[in-house]
Amino acid sequence: MASSERLYEVWMLYCTKRDPDYFKIWLEIFISSYEQCLDVDFEKPPSRPEEVPPVLTLLPDNILQVLRHQLLQCVQKASDGLEPEQQNLALLLLKFLIIICRNLSNVEEIGTCSYINHIITMTTLYIQQLKSRTKEKEMMDHSQAEDFVRHSLAFCESLYDPYRNWRHRTSREQLGTIERGRQKYKAAPLTVEFVPFFYQCFQESEHLKESLKCCLLHLFGAIVAGDQRNALLAISPATMEVLMRVLADSYMGSCSSDEAEDWESEAVSRMSLLTLGCLREVVQCLLASSSDQRQVEIASVLENYFKLLNSDPAAVVAGKQQQPAKGQVPTLGRQWEIRFVALQVQMLDTIRDMFLCSDRPVLQAIFLNSNCFEHLIRLLQNSKLVNARCTAADKDQKDITNNRLQTGERDTQVIQGRLDSLAVATIKALTTVMHKSPAAKVAV
């Protein structure tokens, strides 16, 4: 590589003069040589770099010490606010770490160093800034902070899911047992800082961008899919609370009166789909573990899952909006109901995905003991009540203008179509749970 000589030259200048500017130049040259390794977009399918970065032994002898020193300085200054130049240096350090972890033989050593804890400390500070909203902060440019957060989460992915198992699954590329068996290098041990970090990121996070929340969910999925040992550390009461709250809030938070024309096009948010994917991975991971390894039981996850699945959206809507005036169609309430029915369909489809595992009989028994049939049959009954409520509401609106009436009829047609889909999805979920299970069929 032509830049190798330049890298050596700049590093010698840095070692001789101890000028941090030369170190920064060295980082910029190195990063530009391996730009393709900076695959920080979780939504993109996994790709292999054309040129693998060097192993640590081929880098300058004291590079790790220099990195640690520079990163520690950034952390110490971060609480008081980094200058733009320091923010740029912190991002360069982070990009360098991502790149060298794309050589999977480097992952274990990098993971056992203190870099990850320093990165999480800085990322926590940036996320707290992004979560707090004031008039002054709304005028500020947060692009550098957001860029750092995205790269820090991608660095965690490089450590804890080096083979991109989660990305394979979200892009519908299932890896077989043989392919997983060929994964030579292990993920780095999960830092104890992760669970409190993940939990805090979702506290009072109304002003945190949904795209950043999706990155956090991607990272959780990557940790669970990347290594069984790390997964069992990450799957805790705190993280399960976050996932269930995100799932419950996502369809409510994504609705507003400004979106009245858009609710039909995309009913289930990306956050909901990612959370459901995480829960699928959680159940399958717990299924493959022993009771003494688990912090959470599958039955506990299913209890909260079915509770949300069978919740009444009308009751939630009633608390979220004012009662409509007489003769006024409750458009926003209907909009929420339609979104929630779409979410219920996705939750039922996720139940079927959970059974794509090697130990179906055990999972069937857990579902059976969790009163799943009672929950699913009640769901069918509730869908009939919702249908009847919508029909009755339309009859009460016959004294309003033709335009309003047409809107109400269109709403009713959409929600009745969704309710039909819900009934079909419920029957499919029941069939999946019952498949080749005599105990399940007896229970019915």
Side-chain angles (χ1 to χ4, degrees):
M1 183 184 295
S3 60
S4 296
E5 293 181 3
R6 177 62 178 155
L7 280 169
Y8 178 79
E9 176 187 338
V10 173
W11 185 259
M12 288 297 100
L13 286 170
Y14 167 71
C15 291
T16 303
K17 300 186 177 183
R18 290 296 172 183
D19 185 343
D21 286 341
Y22 283 116
F23 179 60
K24 184 179 175 182
I25 294 170
W26 186 90
L27 287 173
E28 289 171 344
I29 297 171
F30 185 91
I31 291 167
S32 65
S33 301
Y34 297 99
E35 198 79 37
Q36 59 174 331
C37 295
L38 289 172
D39 186 12
V40 300
D41 186 353
F42 284 100
E43 296 291 341
K44 287 185 177 180
S47 59
R48 290 183 179 181
E50 292 179 7
E51 187 169 5
V52 178
V55 295
L56 290 172
T57 52
L58 296 180
L59 293 173
D61 291 341
N62 58 336
I63 182 66
L64 295 183
Q65 290 83 355
V66 174
L67 275 171
R68 188 180 297 108
H69 175 71
Q70 294 292 336
L71 195 55
L72 184 58
Q73 283 193 325
C74 289
V75 171
Q76 291 170 343
K77 295 175 182 177
S79 58
D80 298 325
L82 291 176
E83 297 294 328
E85 187 175 338
Q86 293 171 323
Q87 289 182 343
N88 184 43
L89 174 60
L91 186 58
L92 287 174
L93 294 168
L94 189 49
K95 288 181 176 180
F96 174 80
L97 288 170
I98 293 172
I99 288 172
I100 59 174
C101 283
R102 293 304 289 138
N103 185 320
L104 304 189
S105 65
N106 295 330
V107 167
E108 189 172 3
E109 184 170 354
I110 295 299
T112 54
C113 296
S114 58
Y115 306 123
I116 182 60
N117 293 331
H118 294 330
I119 295 296
I120 286 181
T121 299
M122 290 187 65
T123 306
T124 301
L125 290 170
Y126 277 126
I127 286 181
Q128 290 300 327
Q129 292 174 17
L130 294 170
K131 286 198 296 186
S132 61
R133 178 177 289 184
T134 62
K135 287 187 177 180
E136 286 185 8
K137 288 184 178 179
E138 285 179 0
M139 301 297 292
M140 294 171 61
D141 180 12
H142 296 296
S143 57
Q144 273 193 311
E146 291 175 10
D147 203 24
F148 185 90
V149 171
R150 293 180 198 280
H151 280 79
S152 69
L153 300 180
F155 171 53
C156 292
E157 180 201 26
S158 298
L159 291 178
Y160 303 130
D161 188 17
Y163 287 95
R164 304 293 198 259
N165 293 331
W166 171 254
R167 291 206 201 190
H168 280 291
R169 292 178 196 183
T170 55
S171 59
R172 297 294 181 182
E173 299 175 14
Q174 286 290 346
L175 294 177
T177 306
I178 295 176
E179 290 172 297
R180 288 295 298 266
R182 291 173 180 167
Q183 295 182 354
K184 176 182 175 182
Y185 298 103
K186 293 182 179 180
L190 184 68
T191 174
V192 295
E193 302 291 336
F194 173 75
V195 170
F197 164 73
F198 183 77
Y199 184 83
Q200 286 299 324
C201 285
F202 284 94
Q203 303 307 301
E204 300 178 355
S205 60
E206 296 83 2
H207 302 312
L208 187 64
K209 279 187 176 181
E210 184 169 320
S211 60
L212 293 179
K213 292 180 184 178
C214 285
C215 290
L216 285 161
L217 292 169
H218 271 298
L219 175 58
F220 182 85
I223 291 171
V224 177
D227 180 79
Q228 177 78 356
R229 172 196 53 188
N230 287 341
L232 293 170
L233 294 173
I235 300 170
S236 68
T239 54
M240 291 303 96
E241 178 189 326
V242 168
L243 293 184
M244 295 310 301
R245 187 170 66 248
V246 168
L247 195 57
D249 290 347
S250 60
Y251 80 98
M252 296 298 294
S254 63
C255 294
S256 70
S257 55
D258 296 333
E259 295 176 329
E261 298 300 322
D262 188 49
W263 53 261
E264 193 175 349
S265 60
E266 187 178 355
V268 180
S269 71
R270 183 61 178 157
M271 278 181 62
S272 297
L273 294 175
L274 287 173
T275 306
L276 289 172
C278 288
L279 288 169
R280 178 199 66 226
E281 295 292 324
V282 163
V283 168
Q284 293 180 344
C285 172
L286 293 176
L287 186 65
S289 65
S290 59
S291 59
D292 61 322
Q293 295 175 312
R294 298 191 289 265
Q295 302 180 65
V296 176
E297 294 297 331
I298 296 176
S300 173
V301 176
L302 293 181
E303 179 183 356
N304 292 319
Y305 196 84
F306 283 123
K307 183 178 179 180
L308 176 60
L309 183 62
N310 265 311
S311 58
D312 182 4
V316 183
V317 170
K320 288 282 186 177
Q321 64 173 2
Q322 296 179 344
Q323 290 297 319
K326 186 177 181 179
Q328 182 181 358
V329 177
T331 307
L332 187 55
R334 187 68 57 80
Q335 178 182 338
W336 264 319
E337 282 192 321
I338 291 168
R339 285 185 183 270
F340 186 62
V341 172
L343 176 61
Q344 287 175 309
V345 171
Q346 288 293 339
M347 291 178 73
L348 290 165
D349 289 345
T350 301
I351 289 176
R352 297 169 62 203
D353 290 341
M354 290 175 183
F355 279 88
L356 298 175
C357 59
S358 58
D359 207 352
R360 283 180 61 98
V362 174
L363 188 57
Q364 285 174 320
I366 295 172
F367 267 79
L368 182 60
N369 292 331
S370 299
N371 299 319
C372 71
F373 293 124
E374 179 184 331
H375 289 296
L376 294 177
I377 290 169
R378 189 189 312 144
L379 184 60
L380 281 172
Q381 294 170 340
N382 289 343
S383 68
K384 292 179 182 178
L385 292 175
V386 173
N387 203 340
R389 185 169 63 232
C390 292
T391 304
D394 287 336
K395 289 180 180 178
D396 293 340
Q397 300 295 329
K398 287 187 176 180
D399 59 336
I400 60 179
T401 64
N402 288 335
N403 185 46
R404 285 283 189 182
L405 185 59
Q406 289 172 0
T407 302
E409 288 176 349
R410 182 170 69 94
D411 290 356
T412 301
Q413 290 172 359
V414 172
I415 196 168
Q416 286 177 342
R418 295 282 169 83
L419 289 169
D420 289 342
S421 299
L422 178 62
V424 171
T426 305
I427 292 169
K428 285 182 176 179
L430 278 166
T431 303
T432 298
V433 177
M434 292 173 60
H435 183 63
K436 294 184 179 179
S437 175
K441 292 175 182 176
V442 169
V444 174

